[in-house]
Amino acid sequence: MIVRTLDDITGTERDVEPENKQWRSKRIVLGDDRVGFSVHETVLQPGTINDFWYANHIEAVFITEGEGELYDKDNDVTYQLKPGSIYVLNGNEKHQLRPATLMKTVCVFNPPVTGREVHDENGVYPLVTVD
């Protein structure tokens, strides 16, 4: 059984924030937990534009707080997001998140993220596996 709190993760290597400080991700469950998925709380700053493309992962994102837009770059469609919204990138879509307010999300990745990934210039996480 695994039991963790966000306080347990804060300030550790599982607490990730890029240099531009547009978002912060607390990786609650990672690949080394060996459960077949990873779970993160990600907080996005208002007024930012965040380009992502998970070419190697399926991601589901549930909005728990805040509002904004999700732009599907592959299909030129914009969706409004608010608490209770979920989106699933089951086609590895290139996308852009545009939070209007501070936005808190819970993200699930399959295959699981290991915590060693860094977004490349296209917003992609490489496929890193647990040894």
Side-chain angles (χ1 to χ4, degrees), residues 13-102:
E13 63 185 19
R14 288 176 176 248
D15 185 359
V16 177
E17 186 172 35
E19 287 184 27
N20 64 17
K21 300 197 182 292
Q22 291 189 171
W23 52 266
R24 182 176 183 183
S25 179
K26 294 184 181 182
R27 280 95 186 260
I28 304 162
V29 177
L30 287 172
D32 63 357
D33 292 313
R34 303 196 183 281
V35 295
F37 56 88
S38 61
V39 179
H40 314 197
E41 179 202 61
T42 301
V43 178
L44 299 113
Q45 294 301 313
T48 60
I49 297 174
N50 303 274
D51 290 294
F52 300 112
W53 176 31
Y54 297 113
N56 301 306
H57 299 82
I58 302 298
E59 182 191 29
V61 179
F62 183 72
I63 313 308
T64 61
E65 183 179 315
E67 295 182 3
E69 293 180 337
L70 168 68
Y71 175 55
D72 177 346
K73 295 168 79 174
D74 289 343
N75 298 296
D76 193 28
V77 178
T78 300
Y79 301 92
Q80 298 302 308
L81 301 174
K82 62 182 182 178
S85 300
I86 190 169
Y87 64 90
V88 180
L89 301 163
N90 60 327
N92 305 103
E93 295 85 357
K94 294 177 185 174
H95 61 287
Q96 190 175 79
L97 279 172
R98 305 172 188 157
T101 65
L102 185 81

